[in-house]
Amino acid sequence: CGVGCDPSPIHCAVPPPQRLLPANVHRAQRFGTVDGQAVAAVTDHIFTPTFIDDITFGLDTLINNNSQGIFHMVGSQSLTPYESALLIAKMFDLNKNLISKTTREEFFKGRAPRPFQLAIKNDKITKLGVRMRTFEEGLGEILKQVQDDKKRI
């Protein structure tokens, strides 16, 4: 293989840490309601959050099946940041009244342009038997993990 050639059959592109579910939950708790500050969440922007634990199972399946190609290991639900903020508030018993609506234009003002539609399908990885959780299911698992951690302390 020549310079710059990657002989591996699987290429992974993991979202930056700020897009991963636990980071979003942490951010929502930190900025949203724990300290009583309001948070503005975008209503006209669609994304597909991923529960990081599911990526482990997906990678294991791809490796064990010697899979080749591009596989999107993303959650099974696309929603707006506003919808996700409301779900976080509901699951973690946070004050949803501190969550207000905003638009992409307002939120990203002065920043690099962002695409509207960030939803990605996971049908190819699902056909291999990998079940990627919905946003709400991922939040439920995080809540369970937090409660289990508190029991150990």
Side-chain angles (χ1 to χ4, degrees), residues 29-121:
Q29 288 177 319
R30 190 177 75 203
F31 295 117
T33 57
V34 171
D35 59 6
Q37 291 184 13
V39 95
V42 178
T43 59
D44 59 349
H45 190 78
I46 306 291
F47 74 118
T48 308
T50 305
F51 183 57
I52 193 72
D53 294 9
D54 290 345
I55 292 175
T56 304
F57 299 113
L59 287 173
D60 187 56
T61 299
L62 292 175
I63 292 166
N64 288 329
N65 289 338
N66 292 318
S67 300
Q68 294 188 22
I70 298 172
F71 294 83
H72 297 291
M73 282 189 271
V74 297
S76 294
Q77 179 183 14
S78 296
L79 64 166
T80 69
Y82 179 75
E83 292 167 332
S84 69
L86 291 177
L87 285 171
I88 290 168
K90 174 185 166 190
M91 294 293 289
F92 288 88
D93 197 28
L94 302 173
N95 186 352
K96 70 178 182 178
N97 294 323
L98 293 173
I99 303 167
S100 63
K101 296 178 181 181
T102 190
T103 64
R104 290 173 51 239
E105 182 179 352
E106 292 169 9
F107 189 82
F108 294 116
K109 188 175 185 172
R111 301 180 193 176
R114 306 285 198 295
F116 159 73
Q117 177 57 278
L118 297 175
I120 301 173
K121 293 182 181 180

Side-chain angles (χ1 to χ4, degrees), residues 92 139-150 152:
F92 288 88
L139 288 176
E141 181 59 30
I142 290 171
L143 183 60
K144 180 181 173 292
Q145 291 172 4
V146 167
Q147 291 169 342
D148 289 348
D149 286 346
K150 285 182 181 178
R152 286 187 221 137

